[in-house]
Amino acid sequence: MNKTRRISTVGSVAAVLLLAAGCGSSDNGAARTTNSVQPAGAGKALGGAYDTGYGAGGYGAGAAGAGSGSDLGSGSGKAASAGQLSVRDIASVGGVVTDSAGMALYRFDKDTAQPPKSNCDGDCATVWPAVPADDASAAAGIDAALIGSVDRTDGSKQLTLGGWPVYRYAKDTKAGEAKGEGVGGTWHALAPDGKKAVDKKQKSDGNAGSGNGMEMGAGAAGMNMKSGAELSVADNEKLGKILVDGQWRTLYRFDKDSAWPMKFGCLGACLDTWKPAAAIDKAKAEGISGKLVGSVKRPDGSEQLTIDCWPVYTFTGDTEPGQANGHNKQGLWFAVTAEGKKVPPTA
């Protein structure tokens, strides 16, 4: 019996060593042989609440308590009806469809519009309550013909817009907020035609910078965005060569995350400010080794992009392509080099 137990222990240690060799901390020189890992202790932040003003808390069923107090429900058809839909301009997001109470409405990239189908149930539907289809009407600016419904797994009917199932976000606590925009890289505020409001805003605003001294040349940005790359390297005037996503947004890593074992330090309210970058097809990455590009599953089930095993994020304070306003925030957030390292703090 002792022999059997010894063999089992040796096997467990070997498995851990294999995983560690595949995705160790980039700062200790560990080798890389894998591109995707699962979080160890998923949903648990490192340490307690940290002094950044974001708090620590989890991101799952517990987040429902942060709702607007209007009985958002849990996706079971008990949520408040939408009433008359209207369009409201929300800074940094654009023209967003809201319900009769002024609360922003959202769509989920993992749903489908043709045919309409919701893939948000269980804990997901607690954080993102489905909007009932009954009593919805359209105000000026919204085509009533785009309003429809889809049957959920519990038999209730959920509102759709342009075929996309419609949700509220439990952490939007008052009218005019859109804290759910970009969460997990898969949730987006709705435009009047059912598309993503933020995409329409970016097209109308163009790609011009704001002259804050932390941005890339507009010409280089334009060339990159036309190439179809979902991840690339940009020349920043102050930071040097840094990683940006397909919309030319700077990517950041967080010192309170951990590459191995994989743990998330940005949870709860932190996600209102720092949006997990969505996982990409590494074939669409330019200027960076594919061995450094991976993904990790977050507690809400979404897939987050990792660089050298570190989860990466975009910053809501970067309001235009090419900005890097999040670098060295709280001394914890840093832009990322093409080698997967964090860019040193700037003076």
Side-chain angles (χ1 to χ4, degrees), residues 18 82 199 205 281:
L18 283 172
D199 286 351
D205 288 352
D281 177 356

Side-chain angles (χ1 to χ4, degrees), residues 195-210:
K195 295 182 180 179
K196 302 172 187 179
V198 69
D199 286 351
K200 289 182 171 292
K201 177 175 175 59
Q202 287 169 352
K203 287 180 181 178
S204 63
D205 288 352
N207 299 323
S210 65

Side-chain angles (χ1 to χ4, degrees), residues 4-125:
T4 302
R5 184 187 236 164
R6 201 149 134 216
I7 292 172
S8 175
T9 302
V10 171
S12 298
V13 171
V16 171
L17 287 175
L18 283 172
L19 285 171
C23 211
S25 168
S26 63
D27 296 325
N28 63 15
R32 299 295 180 277
T33 58
T34 184
N35 294 319
S36 181
V37 296
Q38 296 295 314
K44 295 180 180 178
L46 297 177
Y50 37 93
D51 299 327
T52 62
Y54 296 127
Y59 176 72
S68 64
S70 59
D71 188 21
L72 295 178
S74 61
S76 62
K78 297 179 181 179
S81 299
Q84 187 177 60
L85 305 180
S86 58
V87 182
R88 181 171 186 157
D89 188 64
I90 297 179
S92 80
V93 183
V96 175
V97 176
T98 61
D99 64 15
S100 57
M103 304 302 291
L105 301 179
Y106 299 87
R107 48 173 274 180
F108 185 33
D109 283 353
K110 293 186 178 181
D111 288 348
T112 59
Q114 299 296 333
K117 184 179 187 301
S118 169
N119 288 305
C120 179
D121 290 296
D123 287 346
C124 174

Side-chain angles (χ1 to χ4, degrees), residues 26 182-185 230-232 242-245 249-255 257-259 262-266 271 273-280 288 292-296 298 302-315 333-343:
S26 63
V183 167
E230 295 180 355
L231 174 67
S232 60
I242 61 174
L243 294 179
V244 295
D245 68 5
R249 295 177 298 191
T250 299
L251 296 174
Y252 302 89
R253 53 181 266 188
F254 184 37
D255 276 0
D257 283 347
S258 173
M262 181 69 77
K263 292 183 181 179
F264 296 108
C266 185
L271 296 171
T273 303
W274 301 92
K275 306 298 185 180
I280 68 162
I288 179 174
L292 297 177
V293 182
S295 66
V296 62
R298 291 192 62 83
S302 63
E303 292 287 336
Q304 182 173 1
L305 174 65
T306 61
I307 301 297
D308 201 25
C309 298
W310 284 88
V312 291
Y313 306 76
T314 56
F315 178 47
W333 293 90
F334 298 93
V336 184
T337 70
E339 294 71 40
K341 309 293 185 182
K342 66 181 184 183
V343 177

Side-chain angles (χ1 to χ4, degrees), residues 3-4 27 42 47 61 69 110 166 185 188 220 238 247 249 271 276 284 286 296 305 316 318 328 332 335 337:
K3 185 176 180 182
T4 302
D27 296 325
K110 293 186 178 181
V166 178
H188 298 281
K238 288 191 175 181
Q247 297 178 48
R249 295 177 298 191
L271 296 171
K284 294 184 178 180
E286 296 181 356
V296 62
L305 174 65
T316 56
D318 290 339
N328 200 29
L332 296 169
T337 70

